[in-house]
Amino acid sequence: MHRFARPTVCLCYPPKNSNGNLNFVSRKEQFLSLLKDCSSIKVLNQIHAQIQTYGLGRDGYVMSHVLRFCALSSPSGDLEYARSVLYHALDRITSSWNIVIRGYALNDLPREAIAVFLEMRSRGVKPNKLTFPFLLKACAHLSALQEGRQIQADAVKHGVDSDIYVQNTLIHLYGSCGEISDARRVFDTMFFRTLVSWNAIITAYVGKSLLDDSVRLFTEMIFCGYEPDEASMVVLISACSELGNLSLGRWAHCQVIEKGLVINCRLGTALVDMYAKCGAVGCARMIFDRMRERNVWTWSAMILGLAQHGLAREALDLFLEMKNCSVQPNHVTFLGVLCACSHAGLVDEGYQFFHDMTHVHGIKPRMTHYGAMVDILSRAGRLKEAYKFIFDMPTEPDPVVWRTLLSACSIHDADGNSGIREKVRNKLLHLEPTRSGNLVMVANMYAEVGLWEEAANMRRVMREEGQKKMAGESCIEIGGHSHRFFSGDDSLVDCEIIYNFLDGLNLNMMAINHE
DNA sequence: GTAGGGTTAG
């Protein structure tokens, strides 16, 4: 109540100058200080009404403070209110438009940010160098390449394209859209660069999976005398996790400690993800447990890491713990949860989680979630159910979903499922008639049941299409050295021992299966 | 004339 009372008192008894009139400047200052102390939209409404009464509703400076509160203070801000104030009260003050664009961009409403910019342009308000960074960020968020290019042209038109902030966000935009050559062009033409420029271009390379290049750029950055910060390390570490390069990842972790960088939420999450992806799930857990602040991404990375290592029980326990900590799961969390169900053969639980994801948490399933459900059903050998599940999907299934089921068809006994196998095979070949991986899988399936002519036919299609299946490739790190090897590779040292060991493993698994 | 910006997570 106290907060509500104070502005009213001030407004009723405004200071007066020697003539007994309200001093205009001091009234303005008074409103500014009220706005500074403003605590809620309700109070703001009162102040705003008073501002209008005193004829200051079109004062750019005062109104920019009103808008600042509406658009940028969370969680009590109100962007729609800000937009209506902007559209009705002000028309030509660039900074006010910038604030609202910024508010939308920061609150994950990129479409609205772009809409406000278009409105601004249609009213003939000139943008300045501060208009573009958040606007371009909004485009990056949407991967809106065309709009981004047009906005870049607008920045050029207004002579602000050489601004460092604009250029850095342009790199970010092109990186987010996967346009690495455009990102690089901006980076190369920069007269002056900052650490952020380097971070942005390296991120662009990592996003495009050009991992060796990204590590090279990182080295170049250090060579140029830049001190990597938290953001640089996050990018490098995520490159390591995609490369599966544990020793480089460890080196990066050491650098973080040596440089005394703060392991914030993002950096911690990157480390958890890297250790998990590089097979050191124990290290991932250690980092996770030591983190003081965790968000949904941190929990998700850990849950997915555990699930992918077959530690299904631990993954699901962690999911419960996360909910107990009142952290709202997102689509990645559920991917981890479904992955855990798939590894542990928990079909009913999988269904339940899928249901909860949609109906309790309001998360719209993505193709990867459908894929995970099909994987759960397929691994459990419930092929008919998997087929029905795909059939009932509201969107057109992608080839990955069909491939999951088709490979399950070849693993599980075909009894009673041959009809499904035919259908799935036809669907997949219809969607991707020339993909070598599909043709090989189908050819092998024919061969297994002795349909040699059909198998040969598939191989012929492959030849005619000029396709050669890329050999499966992987790498393993032993004693700090990375060893790359291929499927069926017989050039390895001790290759005979390795293959004998693998055969032994297969026999053991078959024996367990028949117990 | 006043105020205001960028990069980082499966």
Side-chain angles (χ1 to χ4, degrees):
Chain A
M1 277 318 286
H2 176 72
R3 275 188 176 276
F4 278 84
R6 200 168 145 237
T8 321
V9 170
C10 291
L11 290 169
C12 288
Y13 302 100
K16 298 194 172 150
N17 63 14
S18 52
N19 305 326
N21 296 325
L22 186 77
N23 182 319
F24 190 73
V25 175
S26 76
R27 188 192 288 149
K28 240 168 116 165
E29 279 167 2
Q30 202 184 354
F31 278 124
L32 292 181
S33 90
L34 284 177
L35 287 166
K36 221 178 262 171
D37 283 349
C38 183
S39 59
S40 71
I41 279 289
K42 225 171 169 178
V43 176
L44 184 84
N45 279 325
Q46 293 176 353
I47 301 174
H48 185 205
Q50 296 282 345
I51 287 172
Q52 282 170 320
T53 314
Y54 283 101
L56 287 166
R58 295 177 82 86
D59 183 293
Y61 189 41
V62 174
M63 289 314 288
S64 73
H65 277 81
V66 172
L67 288 168
R68 174 169 311 286
F69 184 86
C70 297
L72 300 178
S73 67
S74 63
S76 52
D78 184 341
L79 279 156
E80 282 312 301
Y81 181 48
R83 178 146 41 162
S84 81
V85 169
L86 181 66
Y87 283 11
H88 291 110
L90 293 156
D91 43 2
R92 311 215 66 82
I93 295 153
T94 304
S95 63
S96 301
W97 292 87
N98 291 350
I99 288 169
V100 180
I101 291 172
R102 193 171 146 218
Y104 279 119
L106 284 174
N107 283 286
D108 281 344
L109 294 163
R111 281 176 216 285
E112 281 76 4
I114 294 170
V116 173
F117 174 71
L118 294 176
E119 180 67 26
M120 172 189 186
R121 300 297 289 125
S122 78
R123 294 189 186 201
V125 182
K126 273 191 181 171
N128 62 17
K129 62 177 183 178
L130 296 139
T131 312
F132 293 100
F134 276 106
L135 189 62
L136 290 168
K137 194 184 163 123
C139 293
H141 196 262
L142 294 167
S143 298
L145 185 59
Q146 279 314 103
E147 290 80 352
R149 285 195 204 282
Q150 284 169 13
I151 290 166
Q152 181 181 19
D154 213 29
V156 173
K157 197 172 138 194
H158 289 89
V160 295
D161 59 312
S162 55
D163 180 76
I164 182 85
Y165 287 78
V166 174
Q167 289 181 319
N168 286 345
T169 350
L170 276 170
I171 298 173
H172 171 56
L173 165 78
Y174 289 126
S176 302
C177 296
E179 298 291 316
I180 195 80
S181 54
D182 286 285
R184 189 68 205 228
R185 193 173 312 128
V186 177
F187 182 79
D188 287 339
T189 53
M190 285 172 90
F191 181 68
F192 175 74
R193 293 181 190 128
T194 62
L195 182 60
V196 175
S197 324
W198 285 92
N199 289 349
I201 191 71
I202 297 171
T203 308
Y205 275 88
V206 174
K208 207 64 184 151
S209 291
L210 295 164
L211 306 167
D212 294 332
D213 291 324
S214 70
V215 175
R216 215 168 296 135
L217 266 170
F218 188 89
T219 326
E220 199 182 323
M221 176 183 90
I222 292 178
F223 187 74
C224 291
Y226 290 89
E227 268 292 304
D229 65 355
E230 281 88 356
S232 325
M233 297 315 287
V234 169
V235 185
L236 179 68
I237 290 165
S238 55
C240 296
S241 95
E242 215 179 307
L243 277 167
N245 191 331
L246 183 60
S247 39
L248 187 58
R250 277 209 190 103
W251 177 82
H253 189 186
C254 288
Q255 289 294 303
V256 168
I257 296 166
E258 244 175 59
K259 288 182 193 304
L261 295 173
V262 180
I263 300 196
N264 59 21
C265 218
R266 284 189 176 227
L267 190 46
T269 305
L271 284 168
V272 168
D273 178 57
M274 182 274 292
Y275 279 118
K277 290 270 162 61
C278 293
V281 74
C283 292
R285 187 65 202 245
M286 212 144 73
I287 305 271
F288 178 84
D289 287 337
R290 284 184 191 166
M291 280 172 72
R292 253 181 270 160
E293 198 195 332
R294 305 169 189 145
N295 63 12
V296 60
W297 295 100
T298 325
W299 288 92
S300 305
M302 193 67 248
I303 291 170
L304 195 61
L306 290 167
Q308 284 171 335
H309 282 83
L311 300 164
R313 198 63 266 163
E314 282 159 63
L316 294 176
D317 285 347
L318 203 64
F319 178 61
L320 278 183
E321 202 182 321
M322 169 183 160
K323 284 208 286 194
N324 287 338
C325 294
S326 304
V327 179
Q328 281 302 312
N330 67 9
H331 63 280
V332 185
T333 325
F334 277 103
L335 201 62
V337 168
L338 293 175
C339 178
C341 292
S342 162
H343 279 281
L346 302 169
V347 179
D348 295 337
E349 287 84 346
Y351 272 123
Q352 187 63 48
F353 284 127
F354 192 82
H355 175 273
D356 289 354
M357 174 174 83
T358 328
H359 296 99
V360 178
H361 299 279
I363 299 165
K364 198 175 157 212
R366 302 183 179 199
M367 198 53 76
T368 45
H369 298 112
Y370 289 111
M373 272 313 291
V374 171
D375 191 47
I376 290 175
L377 294 166
S378 300
R379 278 178 196 251
R382 289 155 74 157
L383 305 182
K384 275 184 190 154
E385 226 173 307
Y387 184 75
K388 187 175 179 308
F389 186 87
I390 297 179
F391 203 79
D392 292 340
M393 277 170 62
T395 45
E396 192 60 32
D398 74 354
V400 181
V401 173
W402 288 116
R403 231 188 333 271
T404 306
L405 183 53
L406 188 62
S407 67
C409 286
S410 65
I411 293 166
H412 290 280
D413 196 10
D415 281 352
N417 292 323
S418 53
I420 288 182
R421 194 168 52 180
E422 292 288 300
K423 284 184 210 157
V424 176
R425 191 194 63 204
N426 292 340
K427 283 277 184 192
L428 186 60
L429 290 182
H430 175 71
L431 282 174
E432 289 181 331
T434 56
R435 191 190 159 100
S436 56
N438 296 344
L439 297 171
V440 169
M441 186 157 47
V442 174
N444 289 344
M445 285 171 83
Y446 282 132
E448 263 168 43
V449 290
L451 293 168
W452 304 113
E453 210 165 299
E454 282 81 353
N457 203 23
M458 282 292 130
R459 297 278 177 193
R460 188 180 51 77
V461 173
M462 272 178 73
R463 265 199 309 279
E464 280 171 7
E465 290 290 334
Q467 295 267 358
K468 220 178 150 191
K469 187 177 183 295
M470 295 262 285
E473 180 194 334
S474 189
C475 63
I476 189 169
E477 210 183 288
I478 302 164
H481 292 282
S482 201
H483 302 267
R484 193 162 279 193
F485 59 97
F486 299 91
S487 169
D489 197 340
D490 53 8
S491 66
L492 299 165
V493 186
D494 293 333
C495 145
E496 211 178 318
I497 300 173
I498 294 168
Y499 281 113
N500 280 339
F501 182 76
L502 278 176
D503 287 342
L505 269 181
N506 273 334
L507 286 173
N508 274 339
M509 285 193 281
M510 277 157 73
I512 291 167
N513 205 22
H514 286 106
E515 262 173 17

